[in-house]
Amino acid sequence: MDRPRDGPLALLLLLLGHVITALEVPLDPKLLEGLPQPPTITHQSPKEYIVDPRENIVIHCEAKGKPHPGFSWTRNGTHFDIDKDPKVTMKPQSGTLVIDISGGEKADAYEGVYQCTAHNELGTAVSNNIVIRQSRSPLWSKEKFSPIVAQEGQSLILHCRPPAGLPPPIVFWMDNNFQRLPQSRRVSQGLNGDLYFSNVLMEDSRNNYICYARFPHTQTIQQKQPITVHVIDMDSLNDTMADYFNDTDLFSDKPVDERPPSFMVPSGSLSSTMVLRGEVLEMECIADGLPTPVVSWTKLSGEIPGHRASFQNFNKTLRITEVSEADAGEYRCTARNRHGSVHHTIRVSVKAAPYWISAPRNLVLAPLETGVITCRARGHPKPSIRWSMNGLPIEDAPKDPSRKVEDDTIIFSEVQTGSSAVYQCNASNEYGYLLANAFVNVLAEPPRVLTPPNKVYQVIMNKPALLECLSFGSPVPAVTWFKDSRSSMLDGDPYEIHKNGTLQIHVSQAVNSGKYTCVARNNLGISENHVYLEVKEPTRILRPPDYRVVHRNRDVLFECKVKHDPSLVPSSTWLKDGGELPDDERFRVDSDSLTIKDVTESDAGTYTCVVNTSLDQDSASARLTVVGQPDAPTDLELTDPGARSVQLTWTPGDEHNSAIKKFLIQYEDALHQSGVWHNLTEVPGTKTTAHLKLSPYVHYSFRVLALNDVGYSRPSMPSRQYMTNPAAPDENPSEVKGQGTEHNNLVITWKPLTGLQANGPGLLYKVMWRQQDVEEEWTSVSVANVSKFVVSGTPTFVPYEVKVQAQNDYGHGPKPAAVIGYSGEDFPSAAPDLVQVVVVNSSLAEVYWEDVPLRSVRGRLQGYKVHYRRERSLHRHNSHHGEQRTESFGPNRTSGKIPNLHPFSVYSLHVTAFNARGEGPASTTQRFETPEGVPSVPSFFRVSASDLDSLTLEWGPPHERNGRLTGYTLRYQTVNSSHDLGLLEELDLPSNHSSVTLHNLHHSTRYKFYFSARTQRGSGPAVTEEAVTILDRAVVSPQVDIATQGWFIGLMSAIALLILILLIVCFIKRNKGGKYPVKEKEDAHGDPEIQPMKEDDITFGEYSDEDHKPLQGSRTLSSGTIKRDGSDDSLVDSGDTQFNEDGSFIGQYSGRSERDAAHESSEPPSPINAMNSFV
């Protein structure tokens, strides 16, 4: 075609491209069943088909179409009539041929070029030319090889020359034990199968060099006759040849000299090779030389492609895969040894069999529509394009005015019904061909929506949503979308309708959920479909796992808290370092966490929580670092020994993921304290050496401990022992003191030196002392194994200068410094004078005195002590005598305060001075009185009787009156059911009263009382109590809300009747029994003294029955609980009861008259008495 026509053609292709794409036949099987379609080849055998002669030949050809296509074959260009050959069959509904050669027929009889044709009424499709060839594995020709004799150092080639097979065999060298021969830079196999020796060695001598050829299709291996190689040196070679030639040396005695490299393959300095695009390029350079050369490769016109190139066979072979045109050029291999180098250039050209740029595609057109089929291919040289229609060259095909061929393009204009056909495009050059079928199917079809109806799409919020509306029709349908009520067509933001009808929502939101309708229209009809979109909340990890640093053998917890859409079911998976968790019971996975028990170092890594739903996923990772105590240092070594120093080095142990902060160096003194380790020094964790300062006369062993954030390591193994020589002491004892323990002695003490400080044997202490400013000469004494010395006969409390010096068998320690000490103290000899007492208030007094003379202290004055005692109370009812108490004051004080005194009391006191030995004589005794104070709380306060509108209160005077009582204060107020307080009433009572009755109170009302005692100084603390006036005299109970209920009154009446019956029975039996008391002493003789109740029997404090006695034989408390008082039949309170020898009662209770009993039983049966008797 002429070049100027390419411009309009390109424009036409641009205009028609969307039509071609839109009219592709869909793959929906249900749709295909109803549509006519020309044949399409779906499966065929490869172009080059090598068959195994031992198996049946199967030539594949499968095709589809509507109606289903029929099949026929050609062989070597002519029709192949399969009906004439009983060995050839065609599979049903298929074009696949099966050639049965199991009966002894030879496969080579069916070799040739086969082509399959699939046809129906709409057109014909053809397969590639399939070349059938039988695989061959010919035998090696019979050869007999003479032994090869080679001089040591020479090069050698052992030829393989395998028989030509189909496909070519794979060659390798082995010995007769089927062991591969070792290969190296010196000995290697070439691409042609030959075995190359750059130089031979004596060890290369063997008689079993065997070349094997493996034929892959038949899986057979054939071997060449073994080759024998003898490698000899020159002396052996001359001796051997002399046996044949009358002792004549044929070779020089000189060994083979070393030589520069030269190429055995390829030959010359320049060669060329051709390779096809997409295939594998292999180039080799094998050189001889002594010593063995080294081969390298370069590309002269560019770089060798690193990702596709590899160097094999000890760098002798350069292999490039997937060759492209860019790999063409000149490659240079270089062989070098120490004697020189040699080069060879390989010129590579790259050709290309045809390959597709744009293969033709099927085209579906409606009547009167326009379309294009394009067939574009490249190759080197450029391939030629040939068109066919239904298997015939297009020149020979029926003319069609709607069809126009333009080189690699066929243009269809205003096609007519019945012009469907299959077109073949053949692109070929000298290196191969490409064949493709593409049909043109002219259809008139109304729209059909292929997307399943009512399909539900689910998408995550803020993600794009794609709602499909796959449709088919001819002409191509136009697709529109509506939502919910179909009020308006969806077009524009946020919606986008793609050419295939898919509706895209770029950022989905909750408002986008709902029902969507797609409508497909063409001029032949309309079709619609409904789909649904659900927008879900995203899955998010709210609390991801955190980076953790954990000690070994502890537990670790990784959290993974997730938020997800309620309608989605999440599943969690934990990964370790991107893989599955170890199969270990220590790993426990819960719904939102991962727990690892007893962590080990192997558990360290990255843990990832992956949460999946059916729509999305989220993941979060955290690193686990397992730390532990460092391992013990090792390899302790002592260097640079000195008289008092040594260098220690060591090797640190494993840090276990926690950096070593420092090293602790300890020592053991085997001479003085064997088995005891002491800290010597510390060095930073970055150092592994330490210069140690040592002491004399020590047998050292050292060990090292490492410390990190977890803790100390185990100690290292001890170093070898290092002994230092003795020397005089370097220091004297510390903490030297002089202090007397008696009035005539001085005790000198010191802190003794340790064995490490002694510096040598024979340690002594020279103790020296003299009286300060009195004696000039020092008195001294040497002692051993002690830490004190007592100087006797000293004056009392005088200063002394004291020194202690260390010495051993090798000399004295340094000159010691003197310290000042004092001899012992004696008791002070004088008492403080002019002692006076000033009373500040009822509980505080101040004492004054004068200093004692300094000479009378006879020691160091430490202070004064005031001893005081409460002699009695000024109240006539209280004559308490208190214990003596003491207050101490400093030596510079001449006064002091005495706190916590009892008011209204008489005290006595005296003052003494004291030093370290003790107290001196006491001063003159002083007496003083404390004024009145406020009294303490009353000894008791209780409600003794309760009535409808009155309450009787009783109390006792305070235990600590602290003065003369002037009266009592009573305040009270009502308390309602919500605990609100009423108006406060106040009443002053005389001091000689012990009870009071409050009248005109509200019935069934709770009152709160505050009661306190008074002196002239004021009122003391108050005691509080609560009580309730009763609702009914027959029922004494503060619980008005219960006692007023009808059911409670009925219950109590029934109980009273039952108790009354029981009492009558008991009285009858007691009258018959006779000899035990029925009334206590208190009933016959009233007790004039106050008789308090037992603590367990009260509710509002204790009260006596002296002034307000209840009914005989009972007491009624304000709480409504009825208790037995002391007048019941009791052995505890009947003090006058006597017993006979047999244990029976005697006395006044046994002589009770029947009249008394009758009188007692005639009392009215009140509920109170009945309950009291029952209890």
Side-chain angles (χ1 to χ4, degrees):
M1 294 294 177
D2 296 335
R3 297 293 295 174
R5 305 178 76 176
D6 290 348
L9 176 61
L11 179 60
L12 179 61
L13 293 178
L14 180 63
L15 294 174
L16 298 180
H18 72 282
V19 177
I20 298 171
T21 302
L23 287 177
E24 288 184 357
V25 177
L27 299 179
D28 188 341
K30 294 182 179 179
L31 181 63
L32 291 178
E33 290 177 1
L35 289 177
Q37 182 175 330
T40 301
I41 301 292
T42 59
H43 179 56
Q44 57 185 314
S45 293
K47 295 177 181 179
E48 298 290 335
Y49 188 14
I50 300 174
V51 299
D52 191 333
R54 298 169 298 180
E55 298 177 354
N56 292 339
I57 302 172
V58 179
I59 310 174
H60 292 280
C61 181
E62 304 290 342
K64 66 178 181 177
K66 183 68 175 182
H68 190 75
F71 297 89
S72 62
W73 286 87
T74 62
R75 177 184 176 194
N76 298 327
T78 60
H79 177 67
F80 182 39
D81 191 352
I82 61 176
D83 294 332
K84 292 182 178 181
D85 190 340
K87 299 296 183 181
V88 181
T89 58
M90 185 183 296
K91 291 184 177 181
Q93 296 294 310
S94 169
T96 299
L97 293 181
V98 178
I99 303 174
D100 185 4
I101 59 175
S102 60
E105 291 76 5
K106 292 187 176 180
D108 56 4
Y110 292 94
E111 290 184 332
V113 180
Y114 292 78
Q115 189 173 37
C116 173
T117 300
H119 52 85
N120 65 12
E121 59 189 35
L122 299 179
T124 300
V126 298
S127 71
N128 293 322
N129 289 326
I130 303 171
V131 179
I132 302 296
R133 291 188 294 172
Q134 173 190 331
S135 65
R136 291 177 173 84
S137 52
L139 298 176
W140 238 302
S141 59
K142 295 292 184 179
E143 295 179 279
K144 186 175 182 181
F145 300 103
S146 300
I148 298 175
V149 179
Q151 183 181 357
E152 185 178 16
Q154 288 182 335
S155 61
L156 176 65
I157 302 175
L158 300 183
H159 297 286
C160 180
R161 300 190 182 99
L166 186 66
I170 299 171
V171 176
F172 49 93
W173 289 80
M174 294 195 299
D175 59 18
N176 52 9
N177 292 323
F178 297 99
Q179 298 296 316
R180 285 189 178 270
L181 296 177
Q183 297 190 23
S184 62
R185 237 177 358 103
R186 184 179 63 86
V187 181
S188 61
Q189 177 183 313
L191 294 176
N192 62 357
D194 293 346
L195 192 63
Y196 293 86
F197 295 78
S198 296
N199 50 79
V200 294
L201 302 177
M202 297 297 295
E203 64 191 41
D204 295 327
S205 296
R206 63 167 63 216
N207 58 4
N208 55 1
Y209 285 95
I210 305 174
C211 182
Y212 289 84
R214 181 170 65 86
F215 297 90
H217 264 62
T218 59
Q219 296 297 317
T220 58
I221 297 177
Q222 297 185 29
Q223 71 176 62
K224 191 172 184 174
Q225 293 295 319
I227 300 175
T228 300
V229 174
H230 293 301
V231 180
I232 57 177
D233 58 21
M234 289 308 302
D235 291 338
S236 300
L237 183 60
N238 281 326
D239 292 343
T240 302
M241 301 307 295
D243 293 339
Y244 294 98
F245 300 100
N246 298 322
D247 296 330
T248 302
D249 287 341
L250 298 181
F251 300 96
S252 169
D253 290 338
K254 292 178 59 180
V256 174
D257 294 332
E258 293 188 354
R259 62 188 182 278
S262 63
F263 284 113
M264 294 188 283
V265 63
S267 59
S269 61
L270 179 65
S271 62
S272 62
T273 185
M274 188 274 292
V275 63
L276 292 179
R277 177 183 180 273
E279 294 185 353
V280 176
L281 170 62
E282 288 185 315
M283 299 173 284
E284 69 175 352
C285 288
I286 302 176
D288 78 340
L290 190 65
T292 303
V294 176
V295 178
S296 61
W297 292 85
T298 57
K299 186 179 182 183
L300 301 180
S301 55
E303 294 185 356
I304 297 174
H307 62 289
R308 292 183 291 110
S310 61
F311 299 96
Q312 300 177 349
N313 197 19
F314 308 99
N315 234 41
K316 299 174 186 178
T317 302
L318 171 60
R319 188 174 191 267
I320 301 176
T321 60
E322 300 178 5
V323 170
S324 67
E325 289 82 352
D327 296 324
E330 293 185 348
Y331 294 81
R332 173 176 289 178
C333 62
T334 303
R336 289 187 177 86
N337 67 9
R338 60 174 171 258
H339 297 292
S341 62
V342 64
H343 306 287
H344 183 89
T345 301
I346 303 175
R347 188 169 294 155
V348 176
S349 61
V350 178
K351 304 295 182 180
Y355 58 94
W356 290 118
I357 298 300
S358 176
R361 303 173 68 182
N362 296 328
L363 182 62
V364 178
L365 298 174
L368 302 179
E369 283 192 331
T370 300
V372 173
I373 294 180
T374 303
C375 178
R376 292 179 180 173
R378 287 180 184 169
H380 188 61
K382 182 180 178 180
S384 61
I385 303 295
R386 290 183 292 111
W387 287 97
S388 299
M389 173 184 165
N390 293 332
L392 295 176
I394 201 164
E395 298 85 5
D396 301 333
K399 300 299 181 182
D400 186 350
S402 66
R403 180 182 67 225
K404 185 178 181 181
V405 179
E406 296 277 354
D407 194 11
D408 58 359
T409 303
I410 301 179
I411 304 170
F412 300 91
S413 304
E414 297 183 353
V415 296
Q416 300 297 318
T417 304
S419 59
S420 298
V422 181
Y423 292 85
Q424 289 82 37
C425 174
N426 187 305
S428 61
N429 64 13
E430 60 187 280
Y431 299 109
Y433 74 94
L434 293 173
L435 178 65
N437 293 275
F439 64 70
V440 176
N441 195 8
V442 181
L443 294 173
E445 291 288 332
R448 305 184 193 183
V449 178
L450 307 180
T451 302
N454 300 317
K455 185 175 181 179
V456 178
Y457 293 89
Q458 294 180 332
V459 67
I460 295 298
M461 187 180 296
N462 298 321
K463 297 293 184 182
L466 294 172
L467 309 184
E468 292 181 345
C469 185
L470 300 179
S471 62
F472 176 74
S474 183
V476 177
V479 176
T480 54
W481 282 89
F482 301 89
K483 183 176 186 294
D484 295 333
S485 63
R486 302 180 65 167
S487 58
S488 62
M489 185 172 62
L490 301 181
D491 190 18
D493 189 50
Y495 303 103
E496 179 183 356
I497 301 178
H498 293 276
K499 292 180 179 180
N500 65 354
T502 298
L503 175 66
Q504 179 173 2
I505 305 172
H506 293 281
V507 181
S508 302
Q509 299 296 328
V511 296
N512 299 130
S513 297
K515 177 183 176 181
Y516 288 79
T517 303
C518 78
V519 179
R521 291 184 178 89
N522 67 9
N523 57 1
L524 300 178
I526 185 171
S527 178
E528 68 177 36
N529 188 37
H530 306 294
V531 296
Y532 297 87
L533 176 63
E534 296 177 355
V535 180
K536 306 291 187 180
E537 289 285 340
T539 301
R540 291 291 177 264
I541 296 176
L542 299 181
R543 189 180 300 169
D546 295 325
Y547 172 70
R548 300 297 302 274
V549 177
V550 182
H551 295 178
R552 280 182 298 182
N553 301 321
R554 295 188 181 178
D555 299 345
V556 64
L557 173 69
F558 287 114
E559 287 189 304
C560 187
K561 303 285 187 182
V562 180
K563 179 185 178 183
H564 60 90
D565 192 278
S567 63
L568 300 178
V569 179
S571 62
S572 299
T573 304
W574 285 90
L575 305 176
K576 179 181 184 292
D577 298 328
E580 294 183 355
L581 291 179
D583 185 12
D584 192 331
E585 61 182 8
R586 296 183 300 108
F587 288 76
R588 189 185 72 213
V589 178
D590 296 320
S591 60
D592 54 5
S593 65
L594 167 65
T595 304
I596 308 175
K597 299 282 190 180
D598 301 326
V599 168
T600 64
E601 288 188 359
S602 63
D603 298 331
T606 300
Y607 289 84
T608 303
C609 172
V610 181
V611 182
N612 290 283
T613 67
S614 58
L615 298 180
D616 66 341
Q617 75 166 34
D618 195 13
S619 64
S621 299
R623 181 79 184 167
L624 172 62
T625 300
V626 181
V627 298
Q629 297 170 327
D631 289 343
T634 58
D635 305 327
L636 272 65
E637 184 177 357
L638 297 175
T639 57
D640 302 333
R644 294 197 179 190
S645 66
V646 71
Q647 190 87 2
L648 175 64
T649 59
W650 62 89
T651 301
D654 191 339
E655 294 181 341
H656 294 295
N657 298 319
S658 179
I660 295 176
K661 300 168 65 176
K662 66 179 180 180
F663 293 98
L664 172 63
I665 302 172
Q666 297 180 327
Y667 72 90
E668 176 198 25
D669 182 4
L671 181 63
H672 300 99
Q673 276 186 304
S674 179
V676 179
W677 291 89
H678 304 275
N679 295 341
L680 180 59
T681 187
E682 294 178 348
V683 297
T686 56
K687 292 188 176 182
T688 58
T689 182
H691 186 75
L692 306 180
K693 295 181 180 180
L694 309 179
S695 298
Y697 195 52
V698 179
H699 294 180
Y700 283 101
S701 293
F702 303 100
R703 69 182 186 185
V704 183
L705 294 85
L707 175 69
N708 62 11
D709 287 333
V710 181
Y712 276 102
S713 69
R714 291 179 291 102
S716 68
M717 295 297 294
S719 69
R720 63 179 176 86
Q721 196 173 77
Y722 185 79
M723 295 180 289
T724 55
N725 296 322
D730 294 324
E731 56 186 308
N732 290 313
S734 59
E735 302 179 17
V736 177
K737 298 177 182 177
Q739 185 175 358
T741 58
E742 299 291 340
H743 65 90
N744 59 352
N745 76 356
L746 172 67
V747 179
I748 302 172
T749 59
W750 60 92
K751 183 179 180 181
L753 299 181
T754 64
L756 190 67
Q757 296 170 316
N759 287 4
L763 178 65
L764 297 174
Y765 301 103
K766 183 178 181 182
V767 183
M768 296 167 279
W769 69 92
R770 69 181 180 184
Q771 189 174 345
Q772 188 181 26
D773 300 331
V774 175
E775 300 174 346
E776 294 185 0
E777 297 298 326
W778 291 86
T779 304
S780 64
V781 63
S782 294
V783 295
N785 301 322
V786 295
S787 59
K788 72 175 181 178
F789 180 77
V790 179
V791 180
S792 301
T794 63
T796 299
F797 198 65
V798 295
Y800 276 84
E801 295 179 87
V802 177
K803 298 190 294 185
V804 180
Q805 185 180 31
Q807 64 184 52
N808 62 17
D809 293 346
Y810 291 83
H812 290 80
K815 183 177 180 181
V819 298
I820 303 300
Y822 282 83
S823 58
E825 301 180 22
D826 205 351
F827 297 104
S829 60
D833 201 4
L834 300 178
V835 176
Q836 295 180 350
V837 179
V838 176
V839 177
V840 179
N841 54 41
S842 61
S843 61
L844 178 66
E846 283 193 85
V847 183
Y848 298 88
W849 63 87
E850 283 192 352
D851 288 328
V852 295
L854 185 60
R855 65 180 179 276
S856 68
V857 177
R858 297 198 290 184
R860 185 175 288 106
L861 180 64
Q862 293 189 359
Y864 297 91
K865 292 184 179 181
V866 177
H867 302 277
Y868 61 100
R869 183 172 63 89
R870 182 187 183 195
E871 292 187 347
R872 62 183 177 83
S873 172
L874 292 174
H875 195 277
R876 69 180 187 276
H877 299 290
N878 193 341
S879 59
H880 175 77
H881 293 273
E883 295 182 357
Q884 181 169 292
R885 299 168 64 184
T886 301
E887 296 287 340
S888 297
F889 303 96
N892 298 322
R893 297 283 297 275
T894 57
S895 66
K897 295 181 179 181
I898 304 175
N900 302 321
L901 300 177
H902 287 276
F904 208 53
S905 300
V906 176
Y907 281 86
S908 63
L909 65 75
H910 61 267
V911 184
T912 62
F914 68 96
N915 58 19
R917 187 70 189 278
E919 295 182 51
S923 67
T924 304
T925 299
Q926 302 292 319
R927 284 179 173 77
F928 63 94
E929 296 180 359
T930 55
E932 290 188 21
V934 296
S936 65
V937 296
S939 58
F940 68 89
F941 176 69
R942 59 181 170 237
V943 178
S944 60
S946 175
D947 208 339
L948 290 174
D949 59 353
S950 65
L951 291 172
T952 301
L953 310 177
E954 292 184 349
W955 61 87
H959 290 299
E960 297 292 343
R961 303 193 180 196
N962 296 336
R964 295 179 180 85
L965 290 182
T966 60
Y968 297 94
T969 300
L970 173 65
R971 294 177 297 162
Y972 59 94
Q973 58 190 149
T974 59
V975 182
N976 62 19
S977 58
S978 59
H979 303 286
D980 295 330
L981 300 176
L983 184 64
L984 190 65
E985 302 285 346
E986 185 171 328
L987 182 65
D988 289 332
L989 302 173
S991 61
N992 59 349
H993 283 201
S994 61
S995 66
V996 67
T997 299
L998 301 178
H999 298 281
N1000 300 321
L1001 301 178
H1002 301 292
H1003 68 84
S1004 187
T1005 302
R1006 181 177 295 277
Y1007 284 86
K1008 187 170 185 178
F1009 300 96
Y1010 312 88
F1011 189 75
S1012 60
R1014 296 193 312 272
T1015 64
Q1016 292 181 353
R1017 290 296 303 273
S1019 296
V1023 61
T1024 63
E1025 189 59 84
E1026 291 187 17
V1028 179
T1029 56
I1030 65 174
L1031 176 64
D1032 192 301
R1033 287 187 175 86
V1035 180
V1036 184
S1037 173
Q1039 304 298 329
V1040 177
D1041 55 338
I1042 296 178
T1044 58
Q1045 302 298 314
W1047 64 267
F1048 184 81
I1049 297 173
L1051 176 63
M1052 295 303 294
S1053 299
I1055 293 174
L1057 180 59
L1058 178 61
I1059 294 174
L1060 179 59
I1061 295 172
L1062 292 175
L1063 284 174
I1064 295 173
V1065 175
C1066 290
F1067 291 159
I1068 295 173
K1069 290 187 175 182
R1070 290 170 70 180
N1071 288 335
K1072 293 178 179 181
K1075 271 201 167 184
Y1076 57 89
V1078 295
K1079 193 163 182 62
E1080 291 187 351
K1081 180 178 180 181
E1082 289 79 2
D1083 290 337
H1085 306 280
D1087 189 353
E1089 298 294 327
I1090 296 173
Q1091 298 293 329
M1093 294 177 63
K1094 295 182 181 178
E1095 185 177 348
D1096 293 339
D1097 295 336
I1098 66 174
T1099 300
F1100 297 108
E1102 298 179 349
Y1103 68 93
S1104 70
D1105 58 356
E1106 179 181 6
D1107 298 322
H1108 303 277
K1109 279 197 173 185
L1111 296 176
Q1112 184 178 2
S1114 67
R1115 289 187 181 177
T1116 304
L1117 303 186
S1118 61
S1119 64
T1121 304
I1122 299 169
K1123 298 284 186 178
R1124 235 176 0 185
D1125 74 354
S1127 64
D1128 277 348
D1129 300 335
S1130 172
L1131 301 180
V1132 177
D1133 295 331
S1134 54
D1136 297 332
T1137 304
Q1138 299 180 8
F1139 296 86
N1140 288 325
E1141 291 181 359
D1142 60 357
S1144 61
F1145 296 119
I1146 62 173
Q1148 60 188 18
Y1149 291 158
S1150 63
R1152 200 158 184 177
S1153 67
E1154 294 180 3
R1155 184 181 57 83
D1156 293 335
H1159 175 76
E1160 185 176 17
S1161 62
S1162 65
E1163 292 180 357
S1166 71
I1168 304 299
N1169 291 328
M1171 291 175 65
N1172 180 63
S1173 301
F1174 181 76
V1175 175

